[in-house]
Amino acid sequence: MEQGGPVRHVPPTPTTSSPLSPTEHPSGTKSKSRLAEREAASTKRRCVSTACIACRRRKSKARDLTPTDDKLLTSNRASSAMGTPLAALLVLQSTGLNASTIPTLIIAVKTLIQAILNYPEHEVPELVRQIRTCESLDTVAESIIAKGRHLEDDVDEPESPFTDNEPLVGIPRFEKELSGKMAELRLDNGSVSFVGGTSNLIFLGSGFDNGQAMNNSSEQYQRQSYPITSWTEVTKDKNLIVHLMNMYFTWHYTFFTTLSKSLFYRDFLLGKPPPEMKRRTEYCTPLLVNAMLALGCHFTSWPAARSNPSDSATAGDHFFREAKRLILENDEHESPRLATVQALALIGMSFRMAYDLGLNVDSGLLNLDEEETDARRMTIWGCFLFDKCWSNYLGRQPQVPLSSVAVPKFDVFPMEDSETWSPYTDAGIGESHTQPARTRAVAIQVSSLCEISADLLAYFYHPTNIEKPLGKQAELKKLSELHTRLEAWRKNLPKELEPRDGQLACVLVM
């Protein structure tokens, strides 16, 4: 049966090779009369209207095409391969065109459809009237194309009487210049940033000068004399810094996965770079290190991890103050960087800068290396997680909705996830529950859980619903829907992430 054609029952025509029923005889008047009646009935059933509604209104009739028409089957295959809309097939039947005219018809139909979609509202009725009353669709399509060329000529040819070379600025040219510049990711002063079409900055050149001495992220600078202690001014105790870093990566990072651990350690172990050293992407900065140390302090009872050694409520306060000092003195909020977003995410204030860097936009068009692309994806999904946790804690709408994140989730690297995780405490490394870390695998599942949480927060904490509470039935219906999604998420968890005694701490928190 043809695609898009009228469905009609056409009984098979008896032939000498067709099997006969037991009541029919090869010879005899009775069988001949029945055969004649069947042919007459077949002829009557074929007398049906195949005209479309438009043709009926014009009192014309569409060409009768049976499902076995070889030409129509050929044209259907050709049009399907070309992605022709269903409207093209309907027009093909109503105009009686043969297969050789299909390419021309396709162009005409596509031109007409695009014109209907793009014409101003007040011009569409006249265009539809021309289509319905025309003798040939090609004529209407050619007039549309000619009209478009005329508009371009009107813009390009005349020149302003006030300047010698500057052409007049008309609406068509403005749209032509603006199209393709609605938004873009760009390299600006050594950092990838995002600029939207409503900003005049999009018409300026990139702030990244190819002549500047901007080293690639893969280049290594000379290792500092005391690399580990060079990142903070709070302490020069190497053992304390190592202890707090281990605490952070053992207990906090495994759930709030916001950065690439390998890239961070690559830069961290080299030490703070000299002031004259500029790199396109920095994966470790003093601000980020102090934010990590501040969080690591909450998992240890060492007195040096507290601002007041005798008061456990001051854990990490000294490193947190140092982080705030760096933000204000170095104007970190004015120079968006990946490591700055990661640091601000750890203290709950990174989301605006994440948008400034375009982390929520897929960076494939910039041809960034795989490591930087991976780091950007981990950072935005880490921000997404922090946002949902803060929103749940404070009982308010999320600031990073799922609809604003157009970036694929990061990949799971077997080498990284197979690294050994052991419970690390003040007493040292415990061996009782040593197992694969599965950091990224857990992070993927947590991000999926946050997507459900985002819908819950957006629905129940919407200002309209707070001012005018929802009906009980509406709330129960939404809760039932969310419960179903949570059950499906729980059911689809990999077996190795099932809750059990001695399971990874991040899985139990999840």
Side-chain angles (χ1 to χ4, degrees):
M1 184 178 70
E2 61 173 299
Q3 303 251 342
V7 179
R8 292 177 281 103
H9 174 69
V10 182
T13 303
T15 61
T16 56
S17 61
S18 300
L20 300 174
S21 65
T23 58
E24 294 176 341
H25 302 279
S27 61
T29 57
K30 185 177 290 187
S31 61
K32 291 183 178 179
S33 61
R34 287 183 179 177
L35 183 60
E37 290 175 0
R38 180 175 297 179
E39 290 181 350
S42 174
T43 303
K44 289 180 180 180
R45 278 192 291 270
R46 284 198 183 95
C47 293
V48 294
S49 175
T50 58
C52 63
I53 295 176
C55 291
R56 291 175 186 174
R57 290 177 179 173
R58 295 202 305 266
K59 297 182 179 181
S60 60
K61 185 176 181 180
R63 184 184 177 191
D64 185 14
L65 295 174
T66 64
T68 57
D69 191 324
D70 292 338
K71 291 184 178 180
L72 185 57
L73 290 176
T74 303
S75 66
N76 279 342
R77 296 190 188 102
S79 61
S80 298
M82 294 181 179
T84 307
L86 178 60
L89 295 176
L90 298 177
V91 173
L92 179 62
Q93 289 182 338
S94 64
T95 55
L97 297 175
N98 54 41
S100 62
T101 60
I102 290 176
T104 304
L105 175 62
I106 291 173
I107 296 173
V109 170
K110 286 186 175 181
T111 302
L112 296 176
I113 292 175
Q114 289 296 325
I116 292 174
L117 293 175
N118 297 324
Y119 265 32
E121 288 292 333
H122 66 279
E123 294 184 14
V124 172
E126 175 60 22
L127 176 59
V128 174
R129 187 192 66 79
Q130 294 177 19
I131 294 174
R132 297 181 63 178
T133 59
C134 71
E135 293 295 333
S136 172
L137 294 177
D138 292 340
T139 304
V140 182
E142 289 172 1
S143 66
I144 293 173
I145 296 173
K147 182 179 179 181
R149 290 173 180 170
H150 179 67
L151 286 176
E152 292 180 358
D153 293 341
D154 288 344
V155 174
D156 294 336
E157 291 179 1
E159 294 186 355
S160 170
F162 301 103
T163 59
D164 294 334
N165 298 319
E166 184 180 352
L168 288 174
V169 179
I171 293 179
R173 163 158 297 187
F174 175 75
E175 292 175 350
K176 184 176 180 180
E177 290 181 352
L178 193 58
S179 64
K181 282 188 173 292
M182 296 310 297
E184 67 178 13
L185 287 168
R186 64 197 300 176
L187 284 172
D188 192 10
N189 292 323
S191 180
V192 178
S193 61
F194 179 84
V195 181
T198 57
S199 171
N200 290 332
L201 298 176
I202 202 169
F203 294 100
L204 300 178
S206 173
F208 179 71
D209 184 3
N210 292 330
Q212 292 178 347
M214 191 70 67
N215 296 329
N216 189 279
S217 59
S218 62
E219 292 184 8
Q220 302 280 330
Y221 52 88
Q222 187 175 1
R223 183 171 179 172
Q224 306 301 301
S225 301
Y226 303 97
I228 294 178
T229 58
S230 65
W231 296 102
T232 181
E233 299 297 328
V234 175
T235 181
K236 296 302 178 183
D237 186 343
K238 177 181 176 181
N239 292 331
L240 175 62
I241 295 175
V242 171
H243 181 64
L244 296 179
M245 275 294 177
N246 287 333
M247 286 294 183
Y248 167 77
F249 278 106
T250 301
W251 303 109
H252 192 277
Y253 170 79
T254 51
F255 187 83
F256 294 101
T257 310
T258 316
L259 50 86
S260 173
K261 183 178 178 181
S262 60
L263 293 178
F264 169 81
Y265 268 125
R266 187 188 69 187
D267 287 3
F268 175 75
L269 295 176
L270 290 174
K272 181 180 176 181
E276 67 276 5
M277 181 68 185
K278 293 184 179 181
R279 312 181 76 200
R280 195 181 78 178
T281 303
E282 295 177 330
Y283 297 104
C284 180
T285 62
L287 174 60
L288 178 58
V289 170
N290 280 277
M292 290 178 170
L293 295 175
L295 291 171
C297 290
H298 291 271
F299 299 96
T300 179
S301 58
W302 283 18
R306 307 168 183 171
S307 178
N308 182 353
S310 59
D311 185 3
S312 61
T314 63
D317 286 357
H318 43 339
F319 289 105
F320 186 69
R321 283 195 299 269
E322 174 67 5
K324 290 197 295 184
R325 182 188 70 80
L326 292 171
I327 292 174
L328 296 176
E329 289 190 3
N330 299 334
D331 292 328
E332 295 282 357
H333 59 288
E334 294 185 358
S335 303
R337 290 185 294 178
L338 190 63
T340 305
V341 174
Q342 295 164 350
L344 294 179
L346 298 181
I347 55 180
M349 45 190 298
S350 67
F351 312 131
R352 178 74 187 193
M353 187 175 289
Y355 288 156
D356 290 340
L357 291 176
L359 298 183
N360 59 320
V361 180
D362 196 355
S363 57
L365 296 178
L366 280 180
N367 296 322
L368 301 178
D369 57 55
E370 293 182 359
E371 289 182 337
E372 185 169 356
T373 298
D374 176 71
R376 289 171 61 88
R377 291 178 178 178
M378 291 196 70
T379 301
I380 188 58
W381 285 107
C383 290
F384 186 77
L385 167 60
F386 271 109
D387 176 51
K388 303 309 162 292
C389 290
W390 275 111
S391 298
N392 272 296
Y393 175 70
L394 298 173
R396 59 181 58 164
Q397 275 193 302
Q399 299 182 39
V400 185
L402 179 62
S403 58
S404 69
V405 181
V407 178
K409 292 179 182 176
F410 44 85
D411 296 324
V412 176
F413 296 152
M415 291 293 294
E416 182 175 335
D417 273 29
S418 62
E419 290 179 355
T420 301
W421 180 91
S422 300
Y424 179 80
T425 64
D426 291 342
I429 300 175
E431 300 293 342
S432 57
H433 298 297
T434 299
Q435 57 191 299
R438 298 191 177 94
T439 304
R440 289 180 176 239
V442 174
I444 291 290
Q445 297 298 329
V446 171
S447 64
S448 298
L449 183 60
C450 285
E451 293 179 19
I452 304 175
S453 176
D455 289 346
L456 184 150
L457 294 166
Y459 185 81
F460 287 99
Y461 292 130
H462 194 280
T464 303
N465 297 336
I466 294 176
E467 295 174 5
K468 186 178 180 181
L470 299 169
K472 194 167 186 178
Q473 291 297 327
E475 288 188 356
L476 290 174
K477 181 179 179 181
K478 187 64 177 180
L479 287 172
S480 177
E481 174 195 331
L482 292 170
H483 182 264
T484 301
R485 293 173 61 188
L486 287 170
E487 287 290 342
W489 172 85
R490 170 69 176 79
K491 184 178 180 180
N492 293 328
L493 277 178
K495 190 173 182 179
E496 61 269 17
L497 299 183
E498 291 287 340
R500 55 176 173 79
D501 186 32
Q503 178 62 279
L504 292 166
C506 56
V507 174
L508 298 177
V509 173
M510 177 179 66

